Amino acid sequence: MNANVAIQVLPKSENDRELVRIVDEVIDYIASTGLSYYVGPCETSIEGDYDQLMEIIKECQHVAIRAGAKEVSAYVKISYRPEGEVLTIDEKVSKHHK
């Protein structure tokens, strides 16, 4: 695993319930990839191969649009180490979730 990303998907929606429904569909898609992920209150972190993660980030936008968003913004953070391993999600946060 040479990368992890954090993505916050912000679909334009009619109301908060609709926003949550669309974001839930994006999270369901992320879960379907089989990669390790962690859902936080403001973003979802995913770990895996850099190129695969970039495709997933792109697809998250498409999923939000197919779910009914007229427009979507996304904020993405990337940790990438082409030679070697990056710290895992668990290594970064498990000590804070006892």
Side-chain angles (χ1 to χ4, degrees), residues 3 6 8 10 12-14 36 56-57 62 64 66-68 74 81 84 93-94 97-98:
Q8 180 184 36
L10 298 169
K12 192 168 194 178
S13 62
E14 300 281 325
S36 178
I56 289 168
I57 288 169
H62 296 243
R66 286 193 303 266
R81 185 174 289 165
V93 302
S94 64
H97 299 278
K98 296 183 184 204

Side-chain angles (χ1 to χ4, degrees), residues 5-10 23 27 30 37-46 75-78 93:
V5 299
I7 183 168
Q8 180 184 36
V9 176
L10 298 169
V23 170
I27 293 169
I30 292 168
Y37 69 98
Y38 177 84
V39 178
C42 295
E43 64 189 14
T44 299
S45 298
I46 318 162
Y75 298 94
V76 179
K77 300 173 197 168
I78 302 167
V93 302

